[in-house]
């Protein structure tokens, strides 16, 4: 079961969270792998997309926002676009557009940022938009202020968080075919309305400038020591004990059930595909059946395929007059 854990460091201006996506991540990979047109993603793409899914959950859980957080990386490499979409209820999905061959061992620069044109974008799309309201989007390049390409997604996201929130953040991400996981540690302001003073047993103390808070620097150093293998293979309790056994953690109830935990969800469905086929018209659908003996439609987002044989296709138009018009795109 996928799970998210949040915690505070008692008496210190630091908060953290750790996510492990198991069944949700495996469902994303399974849908894409079973698609007969695309097949599975290459290993480097799977790893990047898994890290994005884990990061999306961490960042969505870090804000009070009713809507979707959409994490995108895009650029001039073989992966033109990769997207992780996480809603406020922690339902998530992820996809990538791969337009050229990917070599084993390719990292973020080779996948997305060959010529330095790569970008990372985070969009907050409100669930109930007011008239005229537009989604908020922040964009940063996949390189630092000196033009050095980020080797890892976590480096780009740390840069983004510092630029957008003006607070230091340490992120560790990893993914394989079974697990997509992430740890995030963030320094909270000592002063101001958003501070943690008074929320714990002792008042938060220390320098409030980026780079100067000793508590955060110590905890961030511990968090950054977490290896990829440890993040993927160890359970949450073991990770937190190994890293922070000398710290007093205030733990929140874990989010790990079917209602509150991270879980896969895509907006595609067989019913939506049926409506889309009806919008094409019976003549068009019949011509496809005559040529191929069936109609098969794949979701542009998750890769799920929906199969309709000749009998299924005929049934689509039996009550077509009662069906509403539909989009020709499934996602």
């Amino acid at each position: 079961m996928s799970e998210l854990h949040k915690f505070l460091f008692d008496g210190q201006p630091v908060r953290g969270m750790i996510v492990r996506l198991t069944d949700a991540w495996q469902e994303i990979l399974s849908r894409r792998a079973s698609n007969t047109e695309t097949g599975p993603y290459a290993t480097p793409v799977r790893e990047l997309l898994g890290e994005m899914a884990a990061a999306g959950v961490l960042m969505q859980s870090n804000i009070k926002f009713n809507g979707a957080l959409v994490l995108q990386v895009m650029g001039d490499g073989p992966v033109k676009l990769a997207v992780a979409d996480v809603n406020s209820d922690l339902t998530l999905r992820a996809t990538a557009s791969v337009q050229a061959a990917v070599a084993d061992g390719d990292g973020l620069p080779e996948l997305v940022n060959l010529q330095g044109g790569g970008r990372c974008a985070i969009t907050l799309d409100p669930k109930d938009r007011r008239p005229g309201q537009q989604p908020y989007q922040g964009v940063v390049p996949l390189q630092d202020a000196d033009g050095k390409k980020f080797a890892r997604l976590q480096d780009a996201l740390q840069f983004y968080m510092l630029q957008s929130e003006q607070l230091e953040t340490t992120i560790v991400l990893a993914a394989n075919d079974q697990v997509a996981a992430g740890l995030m540690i963030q320094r909270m302001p000592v002063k101001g309305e958003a501070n943690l003073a008074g929320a714990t047993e002792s008042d938060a103390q220390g320098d409030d400038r980026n780079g100067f808070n000793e508590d955060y620097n110590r905890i961030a150093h511990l968090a950054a020591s977490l290896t990829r293998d440890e993040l993927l293979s160890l359970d949450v309790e073991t990770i937190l004990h190994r890293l922070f056994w000398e710290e007093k953690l205030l733990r929140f109830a874990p989010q790990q059930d079917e209602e509150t935990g991270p879980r896969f969800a895509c907006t595609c469905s067989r019913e939506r595909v049926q409506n889309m086929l009806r919008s094409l018209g019976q003549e068009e659908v019949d011509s496809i059946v005559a040529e191929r003996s069936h109609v098969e439609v794949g979701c542009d987002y998750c890769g799920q395929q929906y199969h309709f044989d000749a009998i299924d296709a005929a049934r689509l138009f039996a009550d077509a007059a009662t069906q509403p018009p539909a989009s020709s795109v499934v996602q």
Side-chain angles (χ1 to χ4, degrees), residues 6-302:
K6 300 180 181 180
F7 49 92
L8 300 174
F9 291 82
D10 191 21
Q12 301 167 30
V14 186
R15 65 181 175 186
M17 58 186 70
I18 185 168
V19 63
R20 283 178 59 82
L21 303 177
T22 51
D23 52 343
W25 173 232
Q26 292 164 23
E27 177 68 17
I28 292 172
L29 293 184
S30 174
R31 288 190 172 214
R32 182 61 58 173
S34 62
N35 188 296
T36 56
E37 294 186 3
T38 65
Y41 294 119
T43 298
V45 179
R46 296 199 299 271
E47 292 177 355
L48 172 62
L49 207 56
E51 291 182 3
M52 291 179 64
V57 172
L58 292 174
M59 300 181 79
Q60 172 67 272
S61 303
N62 198 41
I63 57 177
K64 295 180 179 179
F65 176 72
N66 185 23
L69 182 147
V70 184
L71 170 60
Q72 299 171 287
V73 293
M74 64 209 83
D76 50 19
V79 178
K80 296 301 180 183
L81 175 68
V83 185
D85 185 336
V86 184
N87 294 299
S88 50
D89 63 357
L90 298 188
T91 54
L92 65 109
R93 56 182 185 166
T95 190
S97 174
V98 184
Q99 300 185 9
V102 172
D104 290 342
D106 278 356
L108 185 66
E110 295 81 16
L111 292 173
V112 188
N113 199 24
L114 280 176
Q115 305 300 324
R119 295 290 185 270
C120 173
I122 295 178
T123 304
L124 299 180
D125 190 3
K127 183 176 181 180
D128 299 311
R129 292 192 202 175
R130 299 186 299 273
Q133 183 181 16
Q134 297 296 320
Y136 165 81
Q137 184 177 75
V139 183
V140 295
L142 293 178
Q143 56 194 31
D144 62 20
D146 297 323
K148 182 180 179 180
K149 296 179 182 179
F150 292 125
R152 301 170 298 178
L153 176 67
Q154 63 197 49
D155 300 324
L157 294 178
Q158 288 171 172
F159 181 72
Y160 176 91
M161 297 294 280
L162 187 61
Q163 295 293 310
S164 64
E165 295 193 16
Q166 302 300 310
L167 287 175
E168 296 162 293
T169 305
T170 298
I171 301 175
V172 184
L173 301 169
N176 57 22
D177 287 353
Q178 301 300 316
V179 181
L183 169 69
M184 183 166 74
I185 301 295
Q186 187 171 62
R187 183 180 70 80
M188 300 295 292
V190 175
K191 302 176 182 179
E193 294 182 358
N195 74 77
L196 295 182
T200 55
E201 291 183 358
S202 60
D203 288 347
Q205 301 293 331
D207 198 317
D208 210 23
R209 295 174 296 168
N210 285 332
F212 288 87
N213 188 278
E214 294 183 0
D215 288 331
Y216 172 78
N217 290 342
R218 181 186 70 258
I219 293 170
H221 178 75
L222 294 172
S225 70
L226 181 65
T227 68
R228 178 182 187 274
D229 289 344
E230 289 172 336
L231 184 54
L232 291 175
S233 63
L234 300 178
D235 61 74
V236 170
E237 300 302 325
T238 301
I239 290 174
L240 294 181
H241 178 72
R242 284 194 179 187
L243 292 178
F244 310 122
W245 64 275
E246 291 185 307
E247 311 291 339
K248 183 176 181 181
L249 300 185
L250 300 179
R251 302 281 299 274
F252 295 89
Q255 296 173 243
Q256 55 187 4
D257 56 45
E258 294 182 356
E259 295 184 358
T260 65
R263 55 209 183 276
F264 170 81
C266 187
T267 56
C268 73
S269 67
R270 189 172 181 85
E271 181 180 5
R272 290 190 65 183
V273 175
Q274 289 173 336
N275 289 336
M276 182 271 288
L277 291 176
R278 290 188 183 102
S279 72
L280 293 178
Q282 186 168 4
E283 182 178 350
E284 178 69 18
V285 172
D286 286 347
S287 68
I288 297 174
V289 172
E291 178 183 350
R292 304 181 183 179
S293 77
H294 67 276
V295 178
E296 194 156 72
V297 179
C299 174
D300 286 350
Y301 207 111
C302 74

